[in-house]
């Protein structure tokens, strides 16, 4: 169930290599499920200028929820919205709507978490609710991006595109010999998710994929986020963002930011 838009207060802004970890006190103090998301907007200077229309809020998975209702978001500044949010300092206001959508379902087999880049965010929230020795495989572009792995209380297996940390190559190459008896939980860029989907389909391994699509409202009203599944088109914001891989012909969703 979601709640109306409310004003949260930023309590911390920490740089984590190439990313920013932003903490926000949410007075609604909900316990979101891992894989659900929030629509976020800065309370001030959210738009091109004083006389311009404000930006639409942007979608973010929470990376961690604290007992007092504080939410942590891991941001990658890739455009105007994420750049503005990444600037917010303690004491500043942020509009919050959520939690929204359907998150990861309870594992039915041994969970194996596989993330790429900013896709580490919802996997951290999931990892917080699983036994701490649950294996995590993370792929990043470089060592600066891989610094985000430090927020997992465990040591994830790392892969980097440039070979600066961990395995040199794709995170999916770390996946192959760990699939027996596993259920895969994954979030990352569409090509990575599609590779995970295809590998799991071939090996008959169940997988839950947190997908991305361009989202304007976040609650089912605009149809901006529709993605094709084997059962027809769905609105990812209400029927996802986490989908069973078996529902998909492909995880290459239209309109995804990355
Ligand atoms: C359910 C859901 C959860 C999400 N969770 C997170 C999260 O936890 N953290 C997070 O940072 N983002 C997350 N995103 C993505 C985020 O909502 C989008 O990247 C958002 O549109 C960024 O807004 P912007 O105004 O900064 O950039 P936009 O104006 O939307 O995009 C600017 C340009 O950057 C491109 N772009 C987007 N992403 C990348 C990238 N990684 N690298 C290169 N170019 C890129 C876009 O295609 C576009 O051309 C999530 C999205 C969804 C749907
Ligand atoms: S984002 Fe508007 S319907 Fe999904």
């Amino acid at each position: 169930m979601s709640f109306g838009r409310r004003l949260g207060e930023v309590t911390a802004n920490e740089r984590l290599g190439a990313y920013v970890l932003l903490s926000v006190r949410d007075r609604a103090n909900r316990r979101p499920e891992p894989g659900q998301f929030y629509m976020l907007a800065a309370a001030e200077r959210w738009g091109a200028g004083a006389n311009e229309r404000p930006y639409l809020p942007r979608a973010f998975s929470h990376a961690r929820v604290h007992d007092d209702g504080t939410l942590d978001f891991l941001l990658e500044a890739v455009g105007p919205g994420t750049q503005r949010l990444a600037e917010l300092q303690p004491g500043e206001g942020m509009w919050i709507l959520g939690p929204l959508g359907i998150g990861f379902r309870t594992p039915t087999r041994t969970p194996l978490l596989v993330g790429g880049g900013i896709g580490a965010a919802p996997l951290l929230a999931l990892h917080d609710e699983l036994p701490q020795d649950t294996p995590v495989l993370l792929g990043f572009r470089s060592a600066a991006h891989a610094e985000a792995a430090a927020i997992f209380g465990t040591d994830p297996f790392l892969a980097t595109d440039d070979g600066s940390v961990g395995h040199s190559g794709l995170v999916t190459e770390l996946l192959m010999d760990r699939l027996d008896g596993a259920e895969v939980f994954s979030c990352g860029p569409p090509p990575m998710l599609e590779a995970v989907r295809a590998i799991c389909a071939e090996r008959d391994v169940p997988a839950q994929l947190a997908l991305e699509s361009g989202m304007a409202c976040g609650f089912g009203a605009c149809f901006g986020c529709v993605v094709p599944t084997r059962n027809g088109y769905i609105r990812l914001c209400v029927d996802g963002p986490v989908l069973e891989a078996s529902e998909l012909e492909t995880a290459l969703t239209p309109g995804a930011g990355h």
Side-chain angles (χ1 to χ4, degrees):
M1 179 181 177
S2 75
F3 291 78
R5 188 175 88 142
R6 54 208 179 264
L7 196 58
E9 183 188 333
V10 174
T11 56
N13 177 326
E14 186 190 341
R15 180 152 280 284
L16 263 184
Y19 303 107
V20 165
L21 188 69
L22 199 64
S23 304
V24 187
R25 173 88 36 80
D26 179 9
R27 62 186 159 78
N29 197 357
R30 299 300 306 170
R31 191 116 202 132
E33 292 162 19
Q36 287 190 296
F37 68 98
Y38 290 79
M39 298 300 286
L40 304 182
E44 288 172 15
R45 291 195 293 113
W46 184 251
N51 300 317
E52 305 287 332
R53 293 176 63 178
Y55 303 140
L56 293 166
R58 303 298 199 252
F60 297 92
S61 314
H62 69 284
R64 181 161 268 159
V65 56
H66 299 266
D67 289 342
D68 66 353
T70 298
L71 297 164
D72 290 350
F73 295 95
L74 189 64
L75 307 183
E76 180 169 24
V78 294
T82 42
Q83 264 153 24
R84 175 69 189 113
L85 290 170
E87 289 169 7
L88 289 174
Q89 293 301 315
E92 293 192 276
M94 194 166 87
W95 290 110
I96 306 173
L97 176 68
L100 299 165
I102 298 173
F104 292 108
R105 286 155 288 267
T106 309
T108 54
R109 298 167 63 163
T110 308
L112 175 61
L113 279 46
V114 186
I118 200 70
L123 297 182
L124 175 62
L126 178 61
H127 190 258
D128 280 349
E129 304 215 344
L130 294 173
Q132 286 304 292
D133 59 355
T134 300
V136 184
L137 316 179
L138 296 176
F140 293 100
R141 266 169 268 168
S142 68
H145 294 85
E147 282 185 39
I151 49 175
F152 284 77
T154 175
D155 269 338
F157 297 97
L158 294 178
T160 47
D161 295 347
D162 64 1
S164 49
V165 177
H167 171 74
S168 177
L170 301 175
V171 67
T172 41
E173 290 158 11
L174 300 176
L175 182 61
M176 298 299 194
D177 36 353
R178 294 180 168 87
L179 285 173
D180 284 348
E183 178 171 7
V184 171
F185 295 80
S186 190
C187 185
M192 187 213 92
L193 279 186
E194 173 52 16
V196 170
R197 187 204 63 76
I199 291 166
C200 291
E202 196 179 311
R203 296 276 300 271
D204 212 11
V205 170
Q208 299 185 29
L209 309 180
L211 300 190
E212 229 187 74
S213 164
M215 290 189 184
C217 72
F219 49 81
C222 73
F223 285 72
C225 64
V226 289
V227 296
T229 71
R230 293 185 197 276
N231 303 315
Y233 281 90
I234 59 152
R235 288 167 297 172
L236 196 66
C237 67
V238 287
D239 297 318
V242 178
L243 298 179
E244 297 286 345
S246 58
E247 292 178 54
L248 299 166
E249 295 276 2
T250 173
L252 292 169
T253 51
H258 45 277

